[in-house]
């Protein structure tokens, strides 16, 4: 190991670290949070005014919002403010996490919620949902909801593995699916790229993605992938536990840091432009 490290150090160019200049130019434009939860347990410590203030301080001007149960989403988007993109969460409670994919009452709940809409307008998608075993991507409700999403032009937010991504989009070719975390088990970059090539409706959301950065620096293979497929990635907070709200601004400051290591146009797309294109959002007005 020591010998190998010496070789790596010797390979660095003279005159200091190659990323020193880039580190100064954090991305400064608007951000879209493509993975926001406002779950029941977060609402007392972080009432809507607190959430809106954190978003404003972070420069987050719009968000894909979904909550367990869905009341949290309805409560938050009723506040107005940022460009809200409400999604129907499939879970009424924690028990639904493990059985939704074969539970027809979930499909009926989704239909009723789509019918009712939200204070911010129609629901635009389904999820976030989880599949802990990719075999469950073939569950009757999972298949039905993928077909429903394609029929109605809804986007799906799915926390699943690479096999399940392939299965879900196989059930509804051409559907729009945001892959939450873009491979949270560390699926190889080449595998992520292969899925992007195979499924034109697939996009990746980058919270918790292993190997994306180290010490605030984008890895070389991720920089290449993000640059090559600049129109296919989004960023999100994933406020899945209440504690995550305390780090909301720091999280996006961190994103701004590595976005600044990408070409400006690439950074703009990942930060805001891809969500704006997917959901038809207007350019944000000046802060
Ligand atoms: Zn999540």
């Amino acid at each position: 190991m020591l010998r190998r490290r010496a070789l790596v150090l010797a390979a660095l160019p003279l005159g200091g670290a190659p990323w020193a200049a880039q580190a100064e130019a954090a991305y400064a434009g608007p951000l879209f949070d493509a993975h926001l939860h406002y779950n029941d347990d977060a609402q007392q410590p972080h009432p809507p005014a607190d959430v809106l203030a954190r978003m404003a301080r972070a420069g987050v001007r719009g968000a894909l919002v979904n909550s367990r149960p869905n009341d949290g989403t309805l409560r938050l988007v009723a506040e107005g403010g940022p460009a809200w993109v409400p999604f129907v969460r499939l879970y009424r409670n924690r028990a639904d996490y493990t059985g939704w994919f074969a539970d027809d009452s979930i499909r009926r709940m989704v239909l009723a919620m789509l019918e009712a809409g939200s204070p911010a307008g129609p629901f635009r998608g389904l999820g976030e949902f989880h599949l802990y075993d990719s075999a469950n991507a073939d569950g009757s409700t999972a298949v039905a909801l993928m077909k429903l999403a394609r029929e109605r032009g809804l986007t799906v937010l799915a926390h699943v593995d690479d096999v399940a991504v392939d299965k879900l989009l196989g059930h509804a070719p051409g559907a729009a699916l945001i892959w939450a975390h873009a491979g949270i088990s560390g699926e190889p970059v080449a595998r992520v790229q292969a899925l992007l090539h195979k499924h034109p409706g697939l996009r990746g959301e980058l919270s918790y993605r292993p190997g994306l950065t180290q010490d605030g620096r984008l890895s070389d293979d991720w920089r290449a992938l993000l640059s090559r497929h600049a129109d296919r990635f989004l960023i999100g907070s994933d406020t899945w536990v209440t504690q995550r709200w305390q780090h909301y601004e720091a999280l996006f400051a961190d994103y701004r840091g590595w976005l600044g290591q990408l070409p400006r146009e690439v950074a703009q797309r990942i930060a805001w432009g891809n969500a704006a294109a997917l959901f038809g959002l207007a350019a944000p007005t000046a802060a």
Side-chain angles (χ1 to χ4, degrees):
M1 279 307 286
L2 280 175
R3 179 184 287 183
R4 206 161 150 194
R5 177 181 287 183
L7 283 173
V8 170
L9 286 174
L12 285 175
L14 295 173
W19 57 86
Q22 295 169 330
E24 294 166 6
Y27 168 80
L31 299 172
F32 184 89
D33 181 348
H35 191 153
L36 186 155
H37 303 291
Y38 192 47
N39 293 335
D40 47 6
D41 34 11
Q43 294 182 35
Q44 193 269 330
H46 301 289
D50 177 74
V51 167
L52 292 181
R54 286 171 196 271
M55 291 175 72
R57 289 195 296 268
V60 173
R61 313 297 298 280
L64 186 170
V65 51
N66 71 106
S67 311
R68 163 187 47 79
N70 282 292
D71 317 34
T73 296
L74 300 176
R75 183 178 176 201
L76 192 55
V77 305
E79 296 287 316
W84 295 119
V85 176
F87 270 40
V88 178
R89 188 102 202 224
L90 306 188
Y91 310 144
R92 297 156 296 194
N93 50 53
R94 287 196 177 274
D96 284 339
Y97 280 63
T98 50
W100 69 269
F101 46 82
D103 182 345
D104 195 58
S105 72
I106 301 278
R107 187 187 62 85
R108 294 195 300 271
M109 176 194 76
V110 166
L111 288 174
M113 291 209 60
L114 291 175
E115 178 83 25
S118 88
F123 284 98
R124 306 296 306 279
L126 309 179
E128 181 192 23
F129 62 72
H130 302 73
L131 289 172
Y132 300 111
D133 178 346
S134 56
N136 294 329
D138 297 327
S140 55
T141 299
V143 174
L145 290 179
M146 286 306 300
K147 291 182 190 293
L148 179 75
R150 184 179 56 182
E151 261 166 42
R152 301 204 183 181
L154 301 167
T155 298
V156 168
L157 177 63
H159 175 140
V160 299
D161 67 12
D162 56 327
V163 176
V165 164
D166 205 30
K167 280 172 174 273
L168 291 169
L169 286 168
H171 297 317
L177 186 149
I178 299 172
W179 187 8
H181 319 300
I184 201 164
S185 304
E187 283 88 337
V189 169
R191 174 67 169 151
V192 177
Q193 174 159 286
L195 286 168
L196 290 172
H197 283 156
K198 183 173 178 184
H199 299 292
L202 177 63
R203 291 157 179 87
E205 181 276 314
L206 294 165
S207 61
Y208 288 108
R209 166 65 218 198
L212 179 70
T213 60
Q214 186 166 7
D215 300 328
R217 285 201 64 235
L218 270 179
S219 70
D220 290 343
D221 48 0
W222 272 97
R223 181 186 287 108
L225 185 70
L226 297 177
S227 299
R228 200 174 302 133
H229 298 284
D231 54 344
R232 307 291 291 278
F233 289 96
L234 307 105
I235 50 170
S237 59
D238 192 11
T239 45
W240 67 290
V241 285
T242 303
Q243 185 199 34
R244 192 105 165 136
W245 280 108
Q246 288 160 27
H247 306 291
Y248 194 84
E249 292 150 75
L251 188 65
F252 283 102
D254 185 56
Y255 287 159
R256 288 184 184 282
W258 64 251
L259 285 168
Q261 296 160 26
L262 289 164
R264 182 189 295 235
E265 197 197 322
V266 173
Q268 286 169 338
R269 286 185 181 196
I270 295 170
W272 176 270
N274 292 337
L278 180 59
F279 299 116
L281 308 179
T285 51

